[in-house]
Amino acid sequence: MTLTSIDPSLLLSNQNTATGTRTGSKTLDKDAFLKILIAQLQNQDPTKPMDDTQFVSQMAQFSSLEQMTNLKNDIDNLIKLSQQSQQIAYTQYIGRTVSWEKTETADDGTASVKSGTGTITGISFGDDNAVTFTLDDGTKISSSDMRGINSNTSKEAALIQASHLIGKKVAYTNDAGKEETASVSAVAIQNGSLVFTLDNGQKAASRQLTKIAN
């Protein structure tokens, strides 16, 4: 009996070499889980359909996976809103005079304590949402370095910082207590407080802002 030889090009190892090994995500999301379940139902043996208990168990797993995914999205949105609210709150420090004290370490490992006072002219946020305050003399401090905050404010510095919101879309609470969205078209100081003029003709104080869009 003559045996027919197998074409080497049909071997799986050669197929991977010729066409490239396919790679995909190692994470099974709810969409992939549902596709697998549908494919399993479509290709099951009609004479031996999937057991009801097994099907219910898989649907329960899918429902649990979907709920976990939605929960993660809700938590991410909550964290983002919390960070935005924190950023809005920190803008109230613009123009404030603060006293500070921090420990700095030299290249030789010697530590020294430095202190001073200055007016906050800028605020920046790191990837971990850590806030850094820039003073009028160029000194950069963190919130933990602050030792006191004076009540006097620099209206010019506050106005300059607030002007960065011009053209940005913001959410705010109107006088009726309902949340609306609009873009900032102008900024002014009235009675010692920042007032934002919006493109819908309304005006909102800084305390009324609830969200700043990217």
Side-chain angles (χ1 to χ4, degrees):
M1 181 175 63
T2 303
L3 297 176
T4 303
S5 60
I6 299 175
D7 186 351
S9 64
L10 299 177
L11 295 176
L12 180 60
S13 59
N14 291 336
Q15 285 292 321
N16 289 339
T17 303
T19 62
T21 302
R22 291 185 178 180
T23 59
S25 173
K26 295 181 180 180
T27 303
L28 181 65
D29 58 13
K30 63 179 183 179
D31 293 331
F33 187 94
L34 184 60
K35 288 179 181 178
I36 293 175
L37 181 60
I38 292 175
Q40 187 176 0
L41 292 173
Q42 290 176 337
N43 295 281
Q44 65 180 336
D45 186 350
T47 63
K48 297 180 180 179
M50 182 186 299
D51 181 67
D52 291 343
T53 304
Q54 184 181 5
F55 178 75
V56 171
S57 175
Q58 291 189 357
M59 287 303 299
Q61 292 178 20
F62 172 75
S63 177
S64 177
L65 178 61
E66 185 177 27
Q67 290 177 7
M68 290 177 62
T69 302
N70 294 336
L71 179 60
K72 178 182 180 300
N73 293 336
D74 291 341
I75 292 176
D76 290 341
N77 291 333
L78 182 60
I79 292 174
K80 186 179 295 184
L81 287 174
S82 176
Q83 291 174 345
Q84 291 175 340
S85 298
Q86 199 173 35
Q87 292 174 3
I88 293 173
Y90 276 127
T91 60
Q92 305 296 324
Y93 288 98
I94 297 295
R96 298 275 181 137
T97 300
V98 299
S99 57
W100 56 272
E101 181 181 289
K102 64 178 180 177
T103 302
E104 294 184 347
T105 304
D107 295 336
D108 59 0
T110 304
S112 61
V113 178
K114 294 185 177 181
S115 61
T117 60
T119 302
I120 298 176
T121 58
I123 299 175
S124 59
F125 298 90
D127 295 335
D128 57 353
N129 207 39
V131 61
T132 300
F133 299 91
T134 302
L135 307 182
D136 53 353
D137 60 358
T139 302
K140 295 183 182 297
I141 61 174
S142 66
S143 56
S144 61
D145 297 328
M146 292 186 185
R147 295 296 177 265
I149 302 175
N150 297 333
S151 59
N152 64 308
T153 60
S154 170
K155 294 182 180 180
E156 293 80 4
L159 192 60
I160 291 173
Q161 183 69 17
S163 67
H164 295 164
L165 294 180
I166 293 178
K168 294 246 184 181
K169 181 173 288 187
V170 298
Y172 68 99
T173 304
N174 60 23
D175 295 336
K178 295 182 178 180
E179 189 174 78
E180 297 185 23
T181 58
S183 295
V184 177
S185 57
V187 182
I189 294 181
Q190 297 179 3
N191 299 323
S193 301
L194 286 171
V195 176
F196 298 88
T197 301
L198 309 174
D199 60 357
N200 61 1
Q202 301 294 318
K203 292 185 177 182
S206 57
R207 65 178 180 279
Q208 294 177 267
L209 301 186
T210 59
K211 181 180 177 181
I212 301 174
N214 295 326

